[in-house]
């Protein structure tokens, strides 16, 4: 790729999600294959680096499961980069063996993307942690209320059990008194 990179834009088709392989033809006739980066929903615009003129031979990509057909260049899986002023996110540059500066740029993009992804993950997990802490606190409050109700029910049960035992203790006395009463009036 030349030192002054040129770009063209493509619109992410409907029904396409992050990680989906797209094949597009650049304005200079080179077919490109690349992965749709995360955070690029259908309808969003991607900036794709303009490849050099079509190569004489297809380039093999050790990461791909099959070699692209002739006149195609394999894009490395693209990652969303920060948006350039007034532009859409840039897609990854075509793979080439003589691109040390492009490798550095790609590394910078990977670092930037990873940093952003980790920051987003940290924010999401922190928010979820706070939500779970609040839910646990509410559950603790409910448990305390249930413990109070259980204590009150146990106290009421003890009172009823005491009444029950009092009645059980009084019944033999009443039966004995009934028998004495019966004997007193039946012997006369």
């Amino acid at each position: 790729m030349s030192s002054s990179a040129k770009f063209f834009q493509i619109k992410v088709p409907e029904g396409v999600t992050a990680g989906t392989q797209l094949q597009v033809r650049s304005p200079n006739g080179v077919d490109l294959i690349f992965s749709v980066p995360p955070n690029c929903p259908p309808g969003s615009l991607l900036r794709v680096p303009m490849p050099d003129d079509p190569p004489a031979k297809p380039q093999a990509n050790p990461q791909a499961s099959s070699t692209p057909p002739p006149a195609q260049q394999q894009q490395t899986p693209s990652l969303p980069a920060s948006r350039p002023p007034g532009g859409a996110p840039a897609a990854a540059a075509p793979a080439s063996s003589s691109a040390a500066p492009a490798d550095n740029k790609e590394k910078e993009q990977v670092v930037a993307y990873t940093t952003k992804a980790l920051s987003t993950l940290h924010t999401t997990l922190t928010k979820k942690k706070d939500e779970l802490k609040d839910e646990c606190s509410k559950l603790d409050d409910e448990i305390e209320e249930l413990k109070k109700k259980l204590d009150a029910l146990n106290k009421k049960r003890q009172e009823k059990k005491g009444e029950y035992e009092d009645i059980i203790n009084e019944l033999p006395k009443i039966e004995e008194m009934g028998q004495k009463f019966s004997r007193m009036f039946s012997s006369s």
Side-chain angles (χ1 to χ4, degrees):
M1 183 172 279
S2 65
S3 60
S4 62
K6 294 182 182 177
F7 294 87
F8 67 99
Q9 288 188 344
I10 63 161
K11 185 176 183 179
V12 177
E14 290 298 319
V16 172
T17 59
T20 302
Q21 293 283 314
L22 280 185
Q23 180 175 343
V24 296
R25 179 160 288 169
S26 68
N28 65 354
V30 176
D31 289 331
L32 301 171
I33 299 173
F34 62 91
S35 295
V36 175
N39 301 323
C40 290
S44 61
L45 294 177
L46 293 176
R47 286 185 58 202
V48 181
M50 182 73 70
D52 291 331
D53 291 331
K57 290 182 173 180
Q59 295 179 349
N61 184 347
Q63 295 176 347
S65 58
S66 63
T67 309
Q72 287 188 347
Q73 290 185 4
Q74 177 73 33
Q75 292 278 19
T76 56
S78 55
L79 302 170
S82 58
R83 293 179 184 260
S96 71
S97 59
S98 64
D103 286 344
N104 287 338
K105 184 175 181 180
E106 185 174 330
K107 286 178 186 176
E108 289 173 8
Q109 287 177 334
V110 169
V111 168
Y113 170 73
T114 303
T115 302
K116 183 177 179 182
L118 288 172
S119 175
T120 301
L121 180 61
H122 181 271
T123 301
T124 301
L125 290 176
T126 300
K127 182 178 176 183
K128 186 64 176 177
K129 175 195 74 146
D130 292 343
E131 289 172 359
L132 290 171
K133 183 178 179 182
D134 289 345
E135 288 178 30
C136 286
S137 178
K138 288 176 184 175
L139 289 171
D140 287 342
D141 292 344
E142 286 181 38
I143 289 170
E144 288 303 313
E145 286 297 315
L146 289 172
K147 283 181 181 178
K148 289 177 185 176
K149 286 181 181 180
L150 182 61
D151 288 344
L153 288 172
N154 277 332
K155 184 177 179 181
K156 193 173 185 176
R157 181 177 178 264
Q158 289 297 83
E159 291 171 0
K160 297 295 180 184
K161 191 173 182 180
E163 288 178 33
Y164 172 79
E165 289 174 0
D166 288 346
I167 290 173
I168 287 179
N169 291 334
E170 291 296 318
L171 279 175
K173 293 176 187 176
I174 292 173
E175 285 178 18
E176 187 181 328
M177 283 176 43
Q179 289 172 359
K180 283 181 184 179
F181 188 73
S182 248
R183 280 185 291 217
M184 279 178 37
F185 288 107
S186 31
S187 56
S188 23

